[in-house]
Amino acid sequence: MVRTLVQILVFFFSLSVVAQNESVSENLNNQISTNLVLPITGSFDLSYERIVANKWAVGIGAALYGEGFQNLSTYDSYYERITNYEITPFVRIYFNGSQKRSHFLEVFGSLSQVEESGRYLRHVNQEGYGVYSVGSKSFSVGGLGVGYGYRFLFYRRKVVLEAQIGLRTNFDVDFVFLNAAFVRTGIKIGYRF
């Protein structure tokens, strides 16, 4: 009887020690991820995320867009607009907590370098007169966006698989109209540490 009681106590003690070790080791606060869909278009994306609270995370993402992605860009009736690169700082809220599989909502800013071609540009000639010609213009533009997704955790919650859709609008200084585009959209794989 005493021997059985000691075995039961040892069993419960070992369970509590294992449970404490698992809860400490699963607090992973950093994540690096990349989009699996963008390489199909000759583009590359990398994101870093830092968990700052149980359900909150902040991070920054960067994307270099290739020629295949540029062919998907929207065309206006007067000129072509191509985004070359984009930097996106973001804030996320996880509905089930950051250490579990969860839906998330993301709000992000955007700073991108845009090239417009086929538009009329004003140049000043040597005599000081304004002359218009068709050409291209590069400039930086900022914007805001929102995203929604779901994050799956695998292999001791260290490997991440995310599905996300995001919509961003750029604030164009030349016109009042907003330019919207899908960004931070796709299937991402990452590693938590």
Side-chain angles (χ1 to χ4, degrees):
M1 178 79 165
V2 173
R3 183 176 176 201
T4 307
L5 184 61
V6 170
Q7 287 176 345
I8 292 172
L9 288 175
V10 168
F11 176 73
F12 281 99
F13 179 73
S14 64
L15 285 179
S16 68
V17 169
V18 170
Q20 288 176 0
N21 287 340
E22 285 180 4
S23 66
V24 171
S25 66
E26 291 188 15
N27 193 13
L28 305 169
N29 292 328
N30 299 298
Q31 175 180 318
I32 294 177
S33 61
T34 188
N35 196 328
L36 296 175
V37 178
L38 282 180
I40 295 170
T41 64
S43 305
F44 179 73
D45 149 282
L46 188 65
S47 292
Y48 170 76
E49 177 182 324
R50 171 78 177 164
I51 295 170
V52 294
N54 182 31
K55 294 187 177 191
W56 292 92
V58 297
I60 189 163
L64 296 171
Y65 298 116
E67 188 174 316
F69 186 83
Q70 293 171 354
N71 291 337
L72 298 174
S73 297
T74 58
Y75 291 88
D76 196 324
S77 59
Y78 299 108
Y79 56 86
E80 175 183 356
R81 176 177 280 188
I82 296 172
T83 303
N84 294 323
Y85 67 84
E86 186 165 27
I87 299 170
T88 53
F90 61 88
V91 175
R92 279 186 180 177
I93 181 169
Y94 289 98
F95 297 115
N96 295 335
S98 61
Q99 301 297 325
K100 302 176 184 176
R101 296 179 182 179
S102 178
H103 295 270
F104 62 86
L105 183 64
E106 182 176 281
V107 177
F108 58 90
S110 169
L111 179 63
S112 56
Q113 196 264 335
V114 176
E115 184 176 333
E116 291 180 345
S117 59
R119 69 179 298 166
Y120 289 104
L121 300 175
R122 185 177 188 274
H123 303 283
V124 178
N125 63 12
Q126 293 177 348
E127 291 83 26
Y129 296 109
V131 178
Y132 288 90
S133 63
V134 176
S136 63
K137 173 184 171 184
S138 290
F139 57 93
S140 295
V141 65
L144 292 173
V146 294
Y148 172 78
Y150 192 85
R151 179 171 80 170
F152 299 92
L153 301 176
F154 301 100
Y155 188 65
R156 298 183 187 171
R157 299 182 181 179
K158 290 186 177 184
V159 177
V160 178
L161 184 64
E162 293 179 350
Q164 180 178 1
I165 186 166
L167 182 65
R168 178 257 300 140
T169 183
N170 280 338
F171 301 113
D172 196 340
V173 295
D174 293 337
F175 301 100
V176 178
F177 304 108
L178 300 176
N179 175 15
F182 286 102
V183 296
R184 297 190 55 78
T185 299
I187 298 171
K188 298 180 181 182
I189 190 164
Y191 181 75
R192 299 175 72 211
F193 55 96

